């Protein structure tokens, strides 16, 4: 009985451990978010504190300078004890100024660390957002979706080509034209154009008119000579 009770306790503990981890992890994430959201107010407060320390340091430096001037005046007046008191006050002011300088260094250190931590947090958040966006894109788009999109695009392209071919097909009177007959007529026109473009052959000169001229010219001369002799005989 004791062994069975021990086993039950182990089972209950093993079941309760994941629940405890979940409960413990939630506050941690909330703390991280709260720390990230409180970075800006903390930086503002640190800058305000630094400004206050600088103003106080400037005020104490003026006080120390004033005590030095007073010590000089007391020295001129031969009041040594009063001059020493002024120098003591100056030393106190200088001690406070030194403390304030150390405080400023600490505040500066905190500001630098916090700004660096905030920059790191912002960078990590940006990287996480980018990774989540890429993951969401990968989940929304798969290889099957891409293949389906390409297939649809090809189908639309084929449909458009068929539509363009249907629109380009002649209808009505133009559909009755014989393409072979038109091509033959076009060839005849081309041959006719080629014949018109060829140069004309040179014309052959006939020898007969010249021969007639050579034969008739002496006869005319002889007739005129006979007529002239008859006139002179008279």
């Amino acid at each position: 009985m004791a062994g069975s009770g021990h086993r039950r306790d182990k089972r209950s503990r093993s079941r309760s451990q994941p629940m405890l981890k979940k409960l413990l992890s939630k506050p941690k994430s909330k703390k991280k978010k709260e720390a990230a959201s409180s970075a800006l107010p903390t930086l503002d407060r640190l800058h305000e504190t630094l400004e206050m320390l600088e103003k106080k340091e400037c005020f104490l430096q003026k006080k120390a300078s004033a005590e030095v001037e007073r010590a000089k005046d007391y020295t001129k007046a031969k009041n040594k004890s009063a001059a020493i008191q002024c120098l003591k006050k100056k030393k106190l002011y200088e001690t406070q100024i030194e403390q304030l300088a150390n405080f400023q260094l600490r505040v500066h250190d905190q500001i630098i660390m916090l700004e660096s931590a905030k920059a790191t947090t912002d960078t990590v958040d940006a990287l996480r957002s980018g990774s989540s966006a890429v993951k969401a894109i990968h989940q929304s788009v798969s290889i099957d979706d891409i293949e389906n999109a390409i297939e649809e695009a090809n189908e639309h392209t084929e449909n458009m080509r068929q539509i363009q071919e249907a629109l380009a097909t002649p209808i009505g009177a133009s559909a009755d034209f014989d393409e072979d007959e038109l091509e033959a007529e076009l060839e005849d026109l081309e041959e006719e154009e080629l014949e018109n473009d060829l140069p004309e052959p040179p014309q052959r000169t006939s020898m007969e008119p010249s021969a007639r001229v050579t034969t008739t010219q002496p006869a005319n001369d002889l007739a005129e000579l006979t007529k002239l002799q008859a006139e002179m005989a008279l």
Side-chain angles (χ1 to χ4, degrees):
M1 295 293 291
S4 62
H6 185 65
R7 290 175 183 174
R8 289 177 182 174
D9 292 338
K10 283 184 177 180
R11 291 176 182 175
S12 61
R13 288 176 183 176
S14 62
R15 291 177 181 175
S16 61
Q17 283 179 355
M19 295 297 294
L20 290 173
K21 288 181 181 180
K22 290 181 180 180
L23 292 174
L24 291 173
S25 62
K26 289 182 179 179
K28 286 183 180 179
S29 61
K30 288 182 178 179
K31 286 182 179 180
K32 289 181 181 179
K33 291 180 180 179
E34 290 176 358
S37 61
S38 63
L40 290 176
T42 305
L43 281 172
D44 293 339
R45 186 176 179 183
L46 287 173
H47 284 293
E48 291 175 359
T49 302
L50 183 62
E51 186 179 358
M52 180 269 294
L53 292 173
E54 290 174 350
K55 288 181 180 179
K56 193 169 183 180
E57 181 184 2
C58 183
F59 176 74
L60 291 175
Q61 286 175 351
K62 290 180 180 179
K63 286 282 189 182
S65 299
E67 293 298 331
V68 172
E69 295 297 328
R70 289 177 63 187
K72 290 179 180 180
D73 293 337
Y74 284 129
T75 302
K76 290 179 181 180
K78 305 298 182 180
N79 190 349
K80 185 177 180 180
S81 59
I84 291 174
Q85 290 295 327
C86 291
L87 293 176
K88 287 180 180 180
K89 290 180 181 179
K90 180 184 77 74
K91 288 290 185 181
L92 292 174
Y93 290 141
E94 289 177 349
T95 302
Q96 291 181 2
I97 291 170
E98 186 177 358
Q99 290 178 353
L100 290 175
N102 292 329
F103 292 162
Q104 291 177 31
L105 286 175
R106 290 181 179 275
V107 173
H108 272 297
D109 188 22
Q110 289 295 318
I111 290 173
I112 292 170
M113 289 179 61
L114 187 57
E115 287 179 346
S116 177
K118 185 179 181 302
T120 303
T121 303
D122 292 340
T123 303
V124 172
D125 291 339
L127 292 174
R128 286 176 180 171
S129 299
S131 178
S132 299
V134 172
K135 185 177 179 181
I137 292 171
H138 286 170
Q139 289 178 352
S140 61
V141 179
S142 62
I143 299 298
D144 294 335
D145 294 335
I146 296 173
E147 291 179 352
N148 292 332
I150 294 174
E151 186 177 355
E152 289 180 359
N154 293 333
E155 185 178 354
H156 292 324
T157 302
E158 181 64 21
N159 291 336
M160 183 58 65
R161 186 184 64 81
Q162 293 178 1
I163 291 171
Q164 291 175 352
E165 289 180 355
L167 292 174
T169 302
I171 59 174
S174 60
D176 297 333
F177 294 153
D178 189 354
E179 296 292 335
D180 296 336
E181 183 180 353
L182 294 174
E183 289 181 1
E185 185 177 353
L186 180 61
E187 291 178 358
D188 294 337
L189 291 175
E190 291 176 351
E191 291 178 357
E192 185 178 350
E193 289 294 328
L194 289 175
E195 291 177 356
N196 293 330
D197 293 338
L198 290 176
E200 295 181 358
Q203 295 180 356
R204 296 180 180 179
T205 57
S206 176
M207 297 300 294
E208 294 178 354
S210 62
R212 289 177 182 177
V213 170
T214 56
T215 55
T216 57
Q217 186 66 31
N220 293 332
D221 293 340
L222 182 59
E224 290 180 358
L225 180 62
T226 302
K227 185 179 179 181
L228 180 61
Q229 288 177 355
E231 290 179 354
M232 290 177 66
L234 291 175

